């Protein structure tokens, strides 16, 4: 179809369009794929309800709004995308690295602060990438350019979610089993096992059965952890947290890749035409 295609191939010969959408895809992998795991940490590792875990993502939403509102007018006025995009990506990469250090002992205040800063970086990146993609398109292809922004971001998010969940499910069993094996040698865990009031419960028997088999308990339904003595639940939470930390390290690498790609971005200088297209 040539130029009549829904996404004209000629647009990819424009460096600003091609690089922006490459970064857009990578950012989609990091944002939608990686942050889909944060509620899992909040609900299982920290023991929050689904509603409370959702509220913990509110700082991220506020950060996204603030980041877009602050940088958008400046980028439109100056036509300089690269510096803001690098700043946003650096912010996101650092926050993803901070997420990889989360543990059962990490306070909710710390998690909320990192989430807010991550949202600020996301807001800057999303706004700058959209403006860069629009600025790179001829007037007749503005609709296709704007649609490509969502298209490539969703592709990245879908691929990222599939990859990260696969890695998480592959790691969790071994990490939890190893944590339980190490916990057997601790006095706190042993004391809990010797206490009949603790060990003779359905949740504890489920855990002990897995311990005897040298495997991790079935975590498809993790609600039994709420009924388990904290001393027995601790190694399960640590194992799951360790698996999540590894996934967030992968997210950090993905976002760092986006940061490198953004170095090849060329600014669209301030011109009347650029302002009109960005608007």
């Amino acid at each position: 179809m040539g130029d009549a295609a829904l996404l004209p191939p000629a647009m990819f010969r424009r460096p600003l369009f091609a690089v922006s959408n490459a970064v857009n895809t990578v950012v989609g992998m990091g944002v939608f794929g990686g942050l889909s795991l944060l509620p899992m940490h909040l609900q299982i590792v920290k023991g929050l309800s689904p509603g409370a875990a959702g509220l913990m993502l509110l700082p991220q939403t506020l950060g996204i709004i603030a980041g877009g509102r602050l940088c958008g007018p400046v980028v439109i006025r100056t036509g300089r995308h690269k510096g803001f995009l690098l700043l946003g990506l650096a912010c996101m990469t650092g926050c993803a690295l901070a997420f990889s250090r989360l543990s059962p002992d990490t306070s909710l205040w710390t998690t909320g602060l990192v989430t807010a800063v991550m949202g600020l970086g996301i807001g800057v990146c999303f706004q700058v990438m959209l403006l860069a993609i629009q600025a790179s398109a001829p007037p007749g292809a503005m609709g296709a350019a704007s649609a490509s922004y969502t298209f490539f971001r969703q592709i990245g998010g879908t691929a990222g979610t599939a990859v990260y969940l696969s890695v998480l499910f592959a790691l969790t069993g071994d990490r939890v089993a190893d944590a339980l094996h190490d916990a057997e040698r601790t006095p706190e865990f042993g004391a809990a096992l010797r206490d009949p009031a603790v060990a003779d419960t359905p949740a504890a028997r489920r855990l002990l059965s897995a311990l005897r088999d040298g495997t991790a308990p079935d975590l498809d339904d993790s609600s039994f952890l709420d009924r388990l003595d904290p001393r027995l639940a601790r190694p399960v939470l640590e194992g799951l947290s360790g698996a999540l930390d590894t996934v967030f390290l992968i997210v950090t690498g993905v976002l760092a890749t986006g940061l490198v790609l953004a170095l090849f971005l060329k600014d669209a200088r301030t011109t009347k035409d650029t302002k009109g297209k960005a608007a």
Side-chain angles (χ1 to χ4, degrees), residues 140-203:
M142 186 62 63
S146 300
S148 73
Y149 165 74
T150 302
F151 176 68
F152 286 106
R153 189 180 66 183
Q154 293 295 342
I155 285 179
T158 302
T161 300
V163 170
Y164 300 143
L165 287 178
S166 297
V167 172
L168 177 65
F169 295 152
L171 292 176
T172 298
D174 290 340
R175 295 291 175 86
V176 171
D178 291 343
L180 285 171
H181 179 71
D182 293 339
E184 284 186 284
R185 297 190 290 269
T186 63
E188 295 84 1
F189 195 85
L193 293 179
R194 291 190 296 271
D195 186 348
V198 172
D200 192 23
T201 62

Side-chain angles (χ1 to χ4, degrees), residues 16 19-20 75 78-89 124 128 132 259-269:
L16 184 58
V19 175
S20 296
V75 173
T78 64
R80 297 182 179 274
H81 306 87
K82 186 174 181 178
F84 283 100
L85 187 57
L86 289 173
L87 177 63
L89 280 166
V124 171
V128 172
L259 184 61
V260 173
L261 287 174
L263 293 173
F264 297 94
L265 193 73
K266 301 296 184 182
D267 282 324
R269 300 298 179 185

Side-chain angles (χ1 to χ4, degrees), residues 44 176 180 201-210 216-230 232-234 236-237:
I44 300 180
V176 171
L180 285 171
T201 62
R205 288 196 295 270
R206 178 175 172 178
L207 181 70
L208 293 175
S209 176
D218 184 7
L219 293 176
D220 287 343
D221 179 8
S222 60
S223 61
F224 79 98
L225 293 172
D226 296 332
R227 302 184 297 272
L228 196 60
D229 185 276
L232 298 181
R234 176 76 184 193
V236 179
L237 301 181

Side-chain angles (χ1 to χ4, degrees), residues 5-279:
L6 292 177
L7 191 57
M11 294 178 63
F12 290 94
R13 291 195 289 270
R14 296 172 176 263
L16 184 58
F17 180 87
V19 175
S20 296
N21 265 319
V23 177
N24 186 26
T25 304
V26 173
V27 170
M29 291 184 66
V31 172
F32 295 104
L35 291 187
S36 64
L37 301 175
L38 185 58
M40 186 177 296
H41 167 84
L42 294 171
Q43 291 182 59
I44 300 180
V45 178
K46 298 299 292 183
L48 299 185
S49 66
L55 288 174
M56 281 295 297
L57 297 180
L58 185 59
Q60 173 192 312
T61 303
L62 296 176
I64 291 174
I65 296 172
R69 294 285 293 180
L70 290 173
C71 77
V74 179
V75 173
I76 291 174
R77 186 169 60 253
T78 64
R80 297 182 179 274
H81 306 87
K82 186 174 181 178
F84 283 100
L85 187 57
L86 289 173
L87 177 63
L89 280 166
C91 188
M92 293 168 64
T93 303
C95 288
L97 184 61
F99 282 138
S100 73
R101 307 296 296 174
L102 294 179
S103 72
D105 297 323
T106 304
S107 70
L108 292 178
W109 283 105
T110 300
T111 304
L113 178 61
V114 177
T115 302
V117 178
M118 172 66 92
L120 191 64
I122 293 172
V124 171
C125 284
F126 280 3
Q127 186 68 34
V128 172
M129 287 186 298
L130 176 60
L131 293 174
I133 290 169
Q134 290 179 336
S136 68
M142 186 62 63
S146 300
S148 73
Y149 165 74
T150 302
F151 176 68
F152 286 106
R153 189 180 66 183
Q154 293 295 342
I155 285 179
T158 302
T161 300
V163 170
Y164 300 143
L165 287 178
S166 297
V167 172
L168 177 65
F169 295 152
L171 292 176
T172 298
D174 290 340
R175 295 291 175 86
V176 171
D178 291 343
L180 285 171
H181 179 71
D182 293 339
E184 284 186 284
R185 297 190 290 269
T186 63
E188 295 84 1
F189 195 85
L193 293 179
R194 291 190 296 271
D195 186 348
V198 172
D200 192 23
T201 62
R205 288 196 295 270
R206 178 175 172 178
L207 181 70
L208 293 175
S209 176
L211 193 60
R212 286 192 295 269
D213 296 337
T215 60
D218 184 7
L219 293 176
D220 287 343
D221 179 8
S222 60
S223 61
F224 79 98
L225 293 172
D226 296 332
R227 302 184 297 272
L228 196 60
D229 185 276
R231 293 169 292 179
L232 298 181
R234 176 76 184 193
V236 179
L237 301 181
E238 289 179 345
L240 180 58
S241 179
L244 286 167
D245 288 348
T246 300
V247 176
F248 279 120
L249 275 177
I250 297 174
V251 174
T252 303
V254 170
L255 291 174
T257 301
L259 184 61
V260 173
L261 287 174
L263 293 173
F264 297 94
L265 193 73
K266 301 296 184 182
D267 282 324
R269 300 298 179 185
T270 305
T271 64
K272 181 178 180 180
D273 184 57
T274 298
K275 291 183 180 180
K277 286 187 285 185

